[in-house]
Amino acid sequence: MRAVRLSAVTATATVAALTALTGCTEKGGDASGDRVINVTATDSKCEVSTKEFPAGHVELAIENKGSKVTEVYLLFPDDRIVTERENIGAGTKQRVTAEVKAGDYTIACKPGMKGDGIRQDVKATGGTVAKRDPRLDKAVASYRTYVQEQADATLPLAETFAKAVKDGDLEAAQKAYAPSRIGWERTEPVAESFGDIDPKVDVREDGLEEGQDPAKDWTGWHRLEKSLWKDKKLTARDSELADQLITDLTDWQKRVGKADITPTSMANGAKELLDEVATGKVTGEEERYSHTDLVDFKANVEGAEKSYELLKAVAKENDPALVTELDKQFAALNTLLDKYRADKTSYDFTSYDKVGDADRKELSDAVNALAEPLSKLAAAVVVK
């Protein structure tokens, strides 16, 4: 689930953690160049330094001058996501690299990380994007196959979960819940890029938009999670929600192969998956009733590592030191996660409510150590 829906109580602490985590947060001056778009976000404005820029690789140099946590999106005209950066703390700067074809786009700033945001129409001009290194084209093709495989594998697992819910079998539904989410968690940035699927299947109650009624508008895994672990009963409404979950995941399965995927979106997606871990899994907020956070945690890391491994050859050529560091930090985090499961092939992880504060800090530190160099991967796959 995208980490954009924070309560007022947790926002400050979470942003402080992310500021340490991202590694691309800056205090320096503005960026420059015809491929750099300076984005200045406040609580009431979203200003851009240019509304036209050359097609190809562009960089959003974002500064949040407001008092609220914000996020910035580069969107297609139909609101599909080209790239994004979430949880940008007040007074901080971040950068994100993207690859765009000629055409119309929108830059949206979302102060408070709610709603449709304050928007600016922009345009990428010129011909087609320069021809990529063939290794990057191969990486994109392989990743596209991977995300489709994950969606295809998720649906039968979700159907098993939904059947148990509809049968009123509380124990079977609890057992099927976490496995049904693994493929989604591995590839969540691709699902989120469509804009409309994630809020249906993976939103938490505190992530609902203002005006939405939890009784009517809250759907998806986490609504059912609450029934299974907090309410400890299944109703006719839960059966309806189980059917709706399958409908929405089938929509995802059919659309995921058509997602816009580029080398930079793969790299940014890997970073987003680590942000997911930092803002939801390490804190225990994501699976607050089932406490299956470590299953999601591992799946997020696996998805990030898949993108990295596919891009690694080009990244190593452009920035060998970065690749050395990423290899080291992925290995360290995976080794740490292995402490919490029965064996290295099992998804039978320790219930997260049994993980103490000191161990949670150790996990958080390991995520931070990986996320900092991972934030540089997108720039490293832009062929010099």
Side-chain angles (χ1 to χ4, degrees):
M1 188 214 65
R2 80 173 60 245
V4 301
R5 300 158 177 118
L6 306 179
S7 68
V9 175
T10 61
T12 300
T14 303
V15 173
L18 277 169
T19 299
L21 180 154
T22 59
C24 59
T25 300
E26 303 171 4
K27 294 288 185 179
D30 291 341
S32 60
D34 63 355
R35 294 192 178 278
V36 175
I37 307 168
N38 292 305
V39 181
T40 304
T42 70
D43 295 344
S44 59
K45 295 181 181 179
C46 185
E47 299 175 341
V48 296
S49 59
T50 180
K51 293 191 175 183
E52 289 195 6
F53 48 88
H57 289 104
V58 298
E59 182 178 289
L60 302 184
I62 305 162
E63 181 175 10
N64 182 6
K65 291 187 175 181
S67 63
K68 300 177 181 178
V69 183
T70 195
E71 57 193 12
V72 173
Y73 293 81
L74 178 61
L75 302 168
F76 290 104
D78 60 2
D79 270 11
R80 286 176 299 122
I81 299 169
V82 180
T83 194
E84 62 184 304
R85 185 63 85 230
E86 301 172 352
N87 294 290
I88 306 168
T92 66
K93 297 182 180 183
Q94 293 192 23
R95 297 174 184 245
V96 56
T97 301
E99 183 177 333
V100 296
K101 298 177 181 178
D104 295 325
Y105 297 89
T106 298
I107 291 176
C109 306
K110 295 187 180 182
M113 301 182 294
K114 291 281 189 177
D116 292 332
I118 305 162
R119 299 185 168 213
Q120 294 278 6
D121 292 331
V122 296
K123 180 186 290 290
T125 60
T128 59
V129 176
K131 188 175 180 179
R132 289 192 197 116
D133 184 314
R135 293 172 296 176
L136 294 177
D137 287 329
K138 183 178 179 180
V140 168
S142 295
Y143 187 68
R144 190 179 298 279
T145 298
Y146 173 73
V147 296
Q148 186 66 64
E149 289 173 346
Q150 295 303 309
D152 292 344
T154 294
L155 199 57
L157 294 171
E159 288 170 341
T160 297
F161 170 63
K163 183 179 184 302
V165 171
K166 294 172 69 176
D167 288 346
D169 191 334
L170 198 73
E171 183 177 353
Q174 289 176 337
K175 183 177 180 180
Y177 172 77
S180 75
R181 291 176 49 75
I182 292 171
W184 172 273
E185 291 290 339
R186 286 172 176 158
T187 60
E188 192 168 1
V190 178
E192 289 181 348
S193 72
F194 295 112
D196 60 336
I197 297 178
D198 181 81
K200 296 177 183 178
V201 305
D202 201 31
V203 71
R204 303 192 303 256
E205 186 173 10
D206 55 334
L208 295 172
E209 295 290 343
E210 186 176 351
Q212 286 188 302
D213 180 357
K216 296 187 297 183
D217 302 319
W218 187 19
T219 60
W221 271 301
H222 293 302
R223 173 62 185 84
L224 291 166
E225 179 202 5
K226 183 180 180 182
S227 293
L228 289 167
W229 275 276
K230 184 177 182 181
D231 302 337
K232 297 189 184 328
K233 63 180 180 180
L234 294 167
T235 66
R237 174 57 175 160
D238 294 309
S239 292
E240 294 173 358
L241 290 167
D243 283 336
Q244 185 62 49
L245 177 65
I246 299 305
T247 297
D248 293 332
L249 289 176
T250 300
D251 181 30
W252 165 54
Q253 180 202 30
K254 290 178 178 178
R255 291 164 65 184
V256 72
K258 301 175 184 177
D260 285 278
I261 298 173
T262 66
T264 53
S265 75
M266 289 169 60
N268 289 328
K271 169 64 169 58
E272 290 163 23
L273 285 170
L274 264 291
D275 286 353
E276 289 277 345
V277 173
T279 59
K281 282 69 173 184
V282 168
T283 63
E285 293 178 77
E286 178 81 348
E287 305 290 359
R288 61 190 63 178
Y289 308 114
S290 66
H291 305 300
T292 56
D293 302 88
L294 287 173
V295 177
D296 292 357
F297 191 143
K298 179 62 176 178
N300 285 159
V301 173
E302 287 176 336
E305 192 166 14
K306 181 66 175 182
S307 291
Y308 165 60
E309 289 294 339
L310 290 172
L311 298 169
K312 184 174 177 177
V314 173
K316 186 174 183 178
E317 199 168 281
N318 290 335
D319 194 341
L322 177 65
V323 166
T324 298
E325 184 66 13
L326 284 170
D327 284 345
K328 174 185 173 183
Q329 298 303 338
F330 267 116
L333 182 54
N334 281 318
T335 297
L336 183 57
L337 283 170
D338 286 343
K339 291 171 50 179
Y340 297 95
R341 57 179 175 171
D343 60 70
K344 291 185 179 181
T345 61
S346 169
Y347 277 83
D348 182 16
F349 280 89
T350 301
S351 180
Y352 203 57
D353 59 334
K354 307 299 184 186
V355 179
D357 290 343
D359 289 331
R360 291 190 183 200
K361 183 179 186 305
E362 184 182 30
L363 287 164
S364 179
D365 289 345
V367 171
N368 293 352
L370 172 57
E372 191 280 326
L374 196 58
S375 69
K376 302 173 184 176
L377 181 60
V381 299
V382 176
V383 179
K384 308 301 187 214

